[in-house]
Amino acid sequence: MNNSLQLDIPKRGMPITIVTGFLGSGKTTLINQILHNKHNLKVAILVNEFGDINIDSQLLVDINENMVELSNGCICCTINEGLVDTVYQILERDEKIDYLIIETTGLADPFPIMLTFLSTELKDLTYLDSVLTLVDCENFTPDHFDSEAAFKQIAYGDIILLNKTDLVSQDRVDYLESYIKTVNNGARVLRSEYSQIPLYLILDVNLSKLQPYSLLENNNQHELQKIPKNHLINDGFTSISFQSKRPFSALKFQHNFLDELPDNIFRAKGILWFKESESKHIFQLSGKRYDMQVEQWSTTPTNQLVLIGRNLNPLIIQQDLTNCLTM
């Protein structure tokens, strides 16, 4: 492959990369890097929702209910009518797209998505290039494999991107690489900070080992029937939402909630309103590490927070958050 990323699409169909990884591993940051690529590659990104993707307003050309178009030829779609229908929406566009990227949720098993491209009519129109799995070097532990989905993200990965290497020691990264190879020895392991990686290392790499012919050889069609329909419940994961039209006390939120955060909360994100500030705070938490970005309110201030973890008690968590509100 050359540096200009000229893909040989007519012979193989549209190349597909599936981007997966456990909660907070850096998938959305990687997607932002790809959307701002400098290779003149026209990419389509399919996600469950593109609200989290930070698209530079200077790149925007058009926006509708489920698609954002960018001035560099890239587009971003939400998967709202089913994956196959959304892919056809991309394929039927007048303006040709060079590459398709699917971002899974942090708790998704990538295998059903792989089979969508390998066992439906899409197999003649697309080509599964690779499954790219991001790993948060700071928070990843073997305990993540208590989750069947987290295990399969590693097991099915053609590329494993050890991300956030700047937050841990070299020994820690080496250990994770060795451990991951015990699960998936055939994967290509790369390392990154802030999800920054040259596109030629992750796109048009032809690394997928699972292609339509292998479905017949390995009888993988039967595997689809074995996959739990609701793996979040089977893995013990729950999602808790919290909303309030009253502001938080910044001191209470820090000391009574963040400092006392249960270990079984893996991920949280939302929009926070503090009585002490006139700004909107974009909150992201992964493991015990969190970040807040400050913006100006363009809507009526409110608190909106989503937390994801295993075996959570919604009543206790919602009460703890309520106790952080001001009168």
Side-chain angles (χ1 to χ4, degrees):
M1 183 182 128
N2 59 42
N3 289 332
S4 63
L5 288 177
Q6 296 297 314
L7 310 184
D8 195 9
I9 294 170
K11 295 180 182 179
R12 303 182 305 180
M14 181 187 294
I16 309 291
T17 293
I18 299 172
V19 175
T20 189
F22 202 63
L23 299 164
S25 57
K27 297 184 295 298
T28 300
T29 303
L30 176 65
I31 295 300
N32 281 322
Q33 305 275 5
I34 294 172
L35 282 176
H36 289 77
N37 78 80
K38 305 300 181 183
H39 298 275
N40 297 318
L41 191 66
K42 294 183 179 180
V43 177
I45 308 288
L46 269 58
V47 295
N48 288 318
E49 57 178 334
F50 50 68
D52 289 336
I53 295 180
N54 180 23
I55 301 173
D56 190 331
S57 60
Q58 295 180 15
L59 286 175
L60 287 177
V61 172
D62 188 27
I63 183 169
N64 60 33
E65 184 177 351
N66 73 316
M67 181 182 293
V68 169
E69 298 194 31
L70 308 181
S71 60
N72 63 0
C74 299
I75 61 174
C76 189
C77 279
T78 54
I79 304 171
N80 61 352
E81 297 293 341
L83 181 56
V84 173
D85 290 342
T86 306
V87 173
Y88 268 112
Q89 183 181 358
I90 301 300
L91 292 170
E92 292 169 357
R93 284 172 52 86
D94 291 335
E95 189 172 359
K96 182 181 177 183
I97 293 295
D98 299 319
Y99 212 98
L100 182 61
I101 294 172
I102 314 292
E103 181 191 0
T104 76
T105 68
L107 295 168
D109 177 352
F111 191 60
I113 302 173
M114 297 163 65
L115 284 184
T116 297
F117 291 101
L118 299 173
S119 62
T120 69
E121 62 271 23
L122 290 177
K123 68 180 183 296
D124 299 319
L125 303 170
T126 62
Y127 174 82
L128 184 59
D129 187 61
S130 73
V131 175
L132 169 62
T133 304
L134 283 91
V135 171
D136 178 350
C137 287
E138 184 181 35
N139 291 306
F140 181 89
T141 69
D143 290 341
H144 282 154
F145 289 166
D146 288 344
S147 162
E148 181 183 2
F151 175 82
K152 288 188 175 181
Q153 289 170 1
I154 298 293
Y156 286 117
D158 301 302
I159 301 173
I160 309 294
L161 186 59
L162 297 176
N163 193 30
K164 307 184 184 181
T165 55
D166 55 309
L167 301 179
V168 297
S169 67
Q170 181 73 36
D171 289 344
R172 166 73 174 167
V173 180
D174 292 341
Y175 160 74
L176 286 176
E177 180 168 349
S178 298
Y179 182 81
I180 285 170
K181 285 184 176 179
T182 67
V183 178
N184 183 353
N185 190 43
R188 174 182 293 177
V189 180
L190 304 173
R191 303 182 180 193
S192 67
E193 301 177 10
Y194 305 103
S195 302
Q196 294 182 348
I197 192 78
L199 294 191
Y200 66 83
L201 292 178
I202 60 173
L203 301 184
D204 194 27
V205 290
N206 193 21
L207 287 177
S208 177
K209 297 175 283 293
L210 193 62
Q211 293 300 335
Y213 64 85
S214 66
L215 292 177
L216 298 175
E217 292 179 359
N218 300 326
N219 206 23
N220 281 318
Q221 287 279 17
H222 296 295
E223 292 296 319
L224 187 58
Q225 301 172 359
K226 301 178 185 177
I227 295 173
K229 296 303 180 183
N230 194 338
H231 61 79
L232 298 189
I233 293 176
N234 289 336
D235 283 350
F237 284 99
T238 53
S239 174
I240 299 173
S241 298
F242 179 85
Q243 298 186 60
S244 174
K245 295 182 179 180
R246 287 190 288 152
F248 283 126
S249 159
L251 193 63
K252 289 182 179 180
F253 187 79
Q254 175 66 53
H255 294 303
N256 298 353
F257 186 72
L258 287 180
D259 291 349
E260 303 296 328
L261 198 69
D263 290 335
N264 56 344
I265 292 180
F266 297 122
R267 187 81 167 94
K269 57 184 177 180
I271 298 172
L272 303 184
W273 173 28
F274 295 111
K275 182 179 181 180
E276 297 85 350
S277 173
E278 296 182 354
S279 299
K280 175 172 68 173
H281 291 74
I282 310 300
F283 176 70
Q284 297 272 358
L285 178 141
S286 179
K288 291 295 185 181
R289 192 168 183 269
Y290 67 87
D291 175 70
M292 289 196 198
Q293 300 291 328
V294 176
E295 297 181 1
Q296 295 300 312
W297 288 102
S298 58
T299 59
T300 302
T302 183
N303 277 305
Q304 301 177 53
L305 186 62
V306 176
L307 305 101
I308 301 174
R310 179 182 277 122
N311 302 319
L312 301 179
N313 187 319
L315 293 179
I316 291 178
I317 290 175
Q318 288 173 346
Q319 185 60 55
D320 287 344
L321 287 167
T322 299
N323 293 341
C324 295
L325 296 173
T326 60
M327 299 301 294

